[in-house]
Amino acid sequence: MAAKEFESLGKLGLTLAVAGSVVNSALYTVDAWHRVVIFDQFHGVQDIVLVTSQLPRIYTSISADFDEWVLPSITTEILKSVVARFDTGELITRELVPRQ
C-alpha cells in the first residue's frame, strides 16, 4: 500500500517538475533600457510590442513604493559589496571601510 502511494507521489513530482520546466522556459526578463524580439515557436517572430502600453502603470506602481521598497535593498547590496572586498581583520582595523 505504501509503495503505491510513493509511486503516485513520484509521478506527481515528475509531472510538477516537467510543468515547472515548461513554465520556466516560457518566461524571460528584459533589463532596463533594452528591447526584446519575441520569438514564438508556433508563430515565429512577433511584430507586436507588449511592454509599452503597460509602462505608465509599472512606473506608477514602482514610484509609489520607491523609498520604502527599492532604497533599502540598494543600501543592503552596496553594503554587501563593500564588506566583501575586505577580510575580517581589515574590517576591524581599517578606517577606509567606513569611507567607502
Side-chain angles (χ1 to χ4, degrees), residues 15-35:
T15 304
L16 288 175
V18 169
S21 176
V22 169
V23 168
N24 188 36
S25 68
L27 299 177
Y28 56 91
T29 301
V30 180
D31 292 329
W33 306 106
H34 288 83
R35 292 183 180 210

Side-chain angles (χ1 to χ4, degrees), residues 1 5 10 19 25 44 46 50 64 67 75 81-82 90-91 96 99:
M1 177 104 169
E5 292 173 358
S25 68
Q46 296 183 4
L50 302 174
D67 293 341
T75 305
S81 69
V82 170
E90 291 175 329
L91 288 172
L96 180 64
R99 281 188 240 145

Side-chain angles (χ1 to χ4, degrees), residues 2-60:
K4 194 177 235 183
E5 292 173 358
F6 281 124
E7 184 178 337
S8 345
L9 187 61
K11 288 180 182 179
L12 176 65
L14 181 61
T15 304
L16 288 175
V18 169
S21 176
V22 169
V23 168
N24 188 36
S25 68
L27 299 177
Y28 56 91
T29 301
V30 180
D31 292 329
W33 306 106
H34 288 83
R35 292 183 180 210
V36 173
V37 174
I38 299 175
F39 177 77
D40 184 358
Q41 291 184 357
F42 301 108
H43 302 102
V45 176
Q46 296 183 4
D47 293 331
I48 57 174
V49 178
L50 302 174
V51 178
T52 57
S53 63
Q54 299 297 323
L55 284 178
R57 185 180 63 83
I58 293 170
Y59 176 74
T60 55

